[in-house]
Structures are given as C-alpha cells and as structure tokens.
C-alpha cells in the first residue's frame, strides 16, 4: 500500500507523454517555456548519437553483427543528440537536471552539460531495464555504468 500511495503522489508532479514521431517530440520541446524544466529523464532506446523513436527498425543493425553497428541500436526515426540539446537550450531551471537512461547516453549527457550547463547523467554503455522496479524495488533507474557531469 505504501508503494501505491507513493506512485499516486508521483503522478501529481510528473507527466508521461506519448509521441508519434521524432518531429513531434522536437516540436513539443521547442514550445516549452524558458527555465521551466527542473528535471528531465529520458527512458527509452538510444545509441551514442541519437534517441531512437522507432527502435530496431533497421534489421541486424542492433545486434553487433556488422562492423558499422558497433553493437549499438539504430532506427529510421530518431532525434540526434545535437537536435535534442539545441531544442532544450534555455529550457532548464537554474538547478535543472537531465538524466539519460538509454544505452550509450553519456555523450549526450556530457554535451547537455557542456552546451546548456545542466547537471547531467548518462550511461557509457548498455543499460538494463529488467531490474528497474522489479520485485517491488522502489528504484526505477535502469542498471548501467553511469557518468555524471559535472
């Protein structure tokens, strides 16, 4: 019951949004008021250069079977780290925080800090969502090797 009450409390201060395409996401981010984001968590598929909106749509690109894939996932609908960082310029509050919980998100987190001055965290390799919330655990952060910036 305690976990259920905390979940209901969380729903009062957090939003879950659904989008149909990368373009829809970027357009939404650009409309956010300046200095209005206190915390943004990305929970989804990614590679070192992109947030993947349509995960694994390129066959065999995410299984490490080809040299050019380097074991990272690919998508035909994605947001580049550059576009994400640009669309979020001036959107974070003074003590804002960005957490990239997707695979290989450290480069995006590092650039978010470097370009927008936002305290950021991202994984340097793959993340695993299996343990997140499993067995009634309150931790929802996927397991992974995270780097923080600064």
């Amino acid at each position: 019951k305690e976990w259920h009450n905390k979940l209901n409390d969380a729903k009062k201060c957090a939003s879950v949004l659904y989008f149909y395409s990368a373009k829809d996401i970027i357009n939404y981010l650009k409309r956010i008021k300046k200095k209005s984001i206190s915390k943004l968590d990305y929970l989804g598929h990614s590679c070192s250069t992109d947030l993947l909106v349509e995960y694994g749509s390129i066959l065999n690109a995410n299984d490490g079977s080809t040299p050019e894939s380097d074991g990272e996932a690919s998508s035909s609908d994605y947001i580049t780290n550059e576009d994400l960082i640009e669309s979020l310029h001036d959107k974070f509050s003074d003590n804002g925080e960005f957490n990239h919980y997707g695979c290989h998100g450290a480069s995006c987190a590092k650039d978010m800090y470097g370009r927008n001055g936002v305290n950021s965290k991202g994984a340097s390799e793959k993340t695993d969502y299996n343990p997140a919330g499993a067995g009634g655990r309150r931790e929802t952060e996927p397991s992974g090797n995270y780097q923080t910036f600064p």
Side-chain angles (χ1 to χ4, degrees):
K1 183 170 179 156
E2 179 184 339
W3 173 246
H4 184 265
N5 290 340
K6 288 187 179 193
L7 179 62
N8 284 335
D9 289 343
K11 288 179 182 178
K12 294 175 186 174
C13 63
S15 299
V16 176
L17 305 172
Y18 296 92
F19 299 95
Y20 293 103
S21 69
K23 183 179 177 182
D24 291 344
I25 296 168
I26 291 295
N27 287 337
Y28 175 82
L29 294 175
K30 287 180 178 179
R31 289 192 311 266
I32 293 174
K33 294 179 184 177
K34 289 183 177 185
K35 304 279 187 182
S36 66
I37 300 174
S38 58
K39 182 177 180 182
L40 178 64
D41 293 339
Y42 176 73
L43 301 160
H45 295 291
S46 60
C47 65
S48 60
T49 57
D50 309 306
L51 306 180
L52 309 179
V53 177
E54 184 183 52
Y55 176 68
S57 63
I58 302 173
L59 292 177
N60 297 324
N62 62 345
D63 65 1
S65 62
T66 58
E68 56 275 359
S69 75
D70 195 26
E72 291 193 33
S74 297
S75 176
S76 62
D77 193 15
Y78 55 89
I79 299 170
T80 66
N81 291 347
E82 183 73 22
D83 287 345
L84 177 71
I85 292 163
E86 182 180 316
S87 68
L88 291 171
H89 181 70
D90 288 338
K91 306 295 183 176
F92 286 92
S93 62
D94 291 337
N95 295 316
E97 179 182 334
F98 172 68
N99 296 303
H100 189 308
Y101 291 128
C103 296
H104 308 283
S107 60
C108 182
K110 180 179 180 182
D111 290 346
M112 185 69 76
Y113 173 71
R115 301 250 323 271
N116 291 339
V118 178
N119 292 333
S120 302
K121 176 168 61 173
S124 59
E125 51 196 36
K126 292 182 85 172
T127 55
D128 182 3
Y129 284 84
N130 273 339
R137 290 179 52 228
R138 293 191 172 119
E139 299 83 23
T140 55
E141 179 179 303
S143 63
N145 184 18
Y146 291 98
Q147 296 177 334
T148 57
F149 305 95

